[in-house]
Amino acid sequence: RNLAVIKRVYIKDYLNLYNIELEFDIGLNVFSGVSGTGKSIFMSALLSAFGFGEAKSSLIELNVTNLIL
C-alpha cells in the first residue's frame, strides 16, 4: 500500500506566519499550544497548499514522499 507522507513544509508570508519551515518524521505529529499561537493559521496554510482554501501566502512549499507499507 502506498501513502503520501509530508516530509517538509515551508510557508512564507501567510497572515502572521512570516517565515516558517517544519520537517516531519513518519508517524503521528501533534501541534499543541495555548490559544492564539497560530495552530489554526498553520493548518489553513497547509490545507491551501492542497487546494482546500484560499492561498493567501507568497510561497508554500511541500516535500512529499511515498511510503510503501
Side-chain angles (χ1 to χ4, degrees):
R1 186 171 88 161
N2 284 339
L3 297 174
V5 177
I6 299 172
K7 297 295 288 178
R8 179 183 158 271
V9 175
Y10 176 72
I11 301 169
K12 182 176 182 179
D13 297 330
Y14 187 91
L15 300 175
N16 68 341
L17 301 177
Y18 301 112
N19 191 13
I20 185 170
E21 182 174 11
L22 299 172
E23 294 187 18
F24 300 102
D25 288 328
I26 295 173
L28 178 66
N29 292 279
V30 177
F31 297 96
S32 65
V34 297
S35 180
T37 56
K39 298 176 300 291
S40 295
I41 292 171
F42 172 74
M43 292 307 294
S44 294
L46 189 60
L47 288 171
S48 72
F50 288 100
F52 297 104
E54 184 180 346
K56 302 173 189 173
S57 66
S58 62
L59 178 65
I60 297 178
E61 291 179 354
L62 295 175
N63 291 37
V64 179
T65 188
N66 284 328
L67 177 66
I68 299 173
L69 297 177

